Amino acid sequence: MFTQLPEDKKDLIKPLYKKHQPNFSALSCYFEGKMPGKAYVDDVKAPTKAICRLEMSWTYVSDDADLPWIEEVLGELVKSTWMQVVWVPERKGAYPLKDISKPFSRLEYIERKEAQKEPCKVDIFPFTSELYDKLPEDYKEWHIQNYGSKEEFLKKAWGFFAVENGNVCSESEAAFMSGGYAEMGIYTFEEYRNRGFAYATCLKTIQELEKKGIKAIWACDKDNVESDRLAQRLGYVNPVEYEFVYLEPKK
């Protein structure tokens, strides 16, 4: 049995997530009210098991939830929505809804040493309205999909643009900033790739986060070789391998 937990009671389930989970700063944003989502529990008054699905699809299972209960909840939710379930290393091999689940390997870097080289020379500026207007239209639309509007992006997003000759060539964003952590994101526009802009922009973002006392986390798909290589050049070491279990409604 399970039921949706009222929003004003979500503090009841925070203690059910004591162990570190990859991509946890996004879930922390949900608990802080920065990220929309819904939680499902076994008992509204005294929950012992929980599953949180964020609006952007990432789904988190509490530490002590058993597989039959997980399958019950996910089996009902997947009838109407798709999910990417964060599957911690100790759960590897025991996947829910095996007929439709699609696990794929991920890496999360938290530990970081010194970066391997000096960045290239490029102007790097915080997000501004003027620079936002210079982004390609499809990329501006992507931000609007995520934030709702340009104004909300500039209000909530935190990061830097690399600029060459007045043109934005790369963007690094510290996403899901919560609990002393943030997740790194990077995108370099095609005509500016392989010139060191991603490295320079990410390094600037990481250094500025560290000044604020925030640890920058790097997470990527295991087969994203370029992202993994960039993380290592930035000094990241000893990644944790985990999985996303992708679920979508049957057609």
Side-chain angles (χ1 to χ4, degrees):
M1 295 289 293
F2 72 95
T3 187
Q4 185 175 335
L5 186 73
E7 273 292 290
D8 61 356
K9 294 184 180 296
K10 62 186 177 184
D11 281 349
L12 290 175
I13 63 173
K14 287 178 68 175
L16 304 182
Y17 292 87
K18 291 181 180 179
K19 299 176 183 177
H20 172 77
Q21 293 203 23
N23 306 105
F24 191 81
S25 62
L27 180 60
S28 181
C29 284
Y30 165 72
F31 286 134
E32 289 187 7
K34 299 177 181 178
M35 174 79 69
K38 295 178 181 179
Y40 304 88
V41 297
D42 57 336
D43 184 335
V44 172
K45 294 182 179 179
T48 65
K49 294 177 281 194
I51 288 179
C52 296
R53 183 196 181 276
L54 307 188
E55 191 175 82
M56 37 79 82
S57 84
W58 289 5
T59 304
Y60 298 79
V61 178
S62 63
D63 299 343
D64 297 327
D66 56 276
L67 188 59
W69 187 81
I70 295 169
E71 288 193 312
E72 179 187 359
V73 179
L74 297 182
E76 188 62 32
L77 297 182
V78 79
K79 293 177 182 178
S80 58
T81 189
W82 64 283
M83 292 170 283
Q84 296 181 98
V85 185
V86 179
W87 209 243
V88 295
E90 56 265 33
R91 294 188 186 272
K92 187 173 184 177
Y95 303 114
L97 309 176
K98 288 186 177 180
D99 57 329
I100 60 171
S101 63
K102 300 175 183 177
F104 55 95
S105 295
R106 301 263 298 170
L107 298 172
E108 181 182 66
Y109 289 91
I110 297 178
E111 185 181 349
R112 181 176 167 271
K113 299 180 179 180
E114 289 297 318
Q116 293 182 5
K117 64 177 184 179
E118 290 297 312
C120 67
K121 291 183 179 180
V122 62
D123 294 326
I124 300 177
F125 301 102
F127 294 160
T128 66
S129 177
E130 180 183 6
L131 290 173
Y132 178 94
D133 289 340
K134 295 185 177 184
L135 296 174
E137 288 302 318
D138 59 344
Y139 203 68
K140 285 191 280 190
E141 283 299 316
W142 184 76
H143 279 316
I144 290 172
Q145 288 175 18
N146 289 326
Y147 287 92
S149 66
K150 169 187 171 181
E151 291 72 25
E152 284 299 301
F153 169 79
L154 293 172
K155 177 182 176 182
K156 296 179 179 178
W158 191 93
F160 294 87
F161 292 126
V163 180
E164 183 183 64
N165 299 324
N167 297 314
V168 175
C169 47
S170 189
E171 172 191 299
S172 177
E173 180 182 355
F176 316 129
M177 201 179 298
S178 179
Y181 294 91
E183 268 200 37
M184 290 293 297
I186 180 67
Y187 190 83
T188 300
F189 300 105
E190 189 169 357
E191 61 268 37
Y192 299 104
R193 292 175 183 171
N194 301 313
R195 294 177 57 189
F197 294 141
Y199 179 87
T201 315
C202 285
L203 188 59
K204 172 69 172 179
T205 306
I206 292 168
Q207 290 170 341
E208 293 302 316
L209 285 171
E210 289 175 345
K211 290 178 184 178
K212 296 162 68 73
I214 295 172
K215 185 178 287 290
I217 294 173
W218 193 283
C220 63
D221 293 349
K222 189 176 181 180
D223 62 3
N224 189 340
V225 177
E226 291 185 1
S227 181
D228 187 28
R229 187 181 297 126
L230 176 57
Q232 293 182 43
R233 286 202 299 268
L234 289 162
Y236 284 100
V237 294
N238 301 325
V240 172
E241 185 173 337
Y242 67 107
E243 292 167 302
F244 270 172
V245 177
Y246 179 80
L247 301 170
E248 64 177 339
K250 290 182 179 180
K251 296 181 180 179

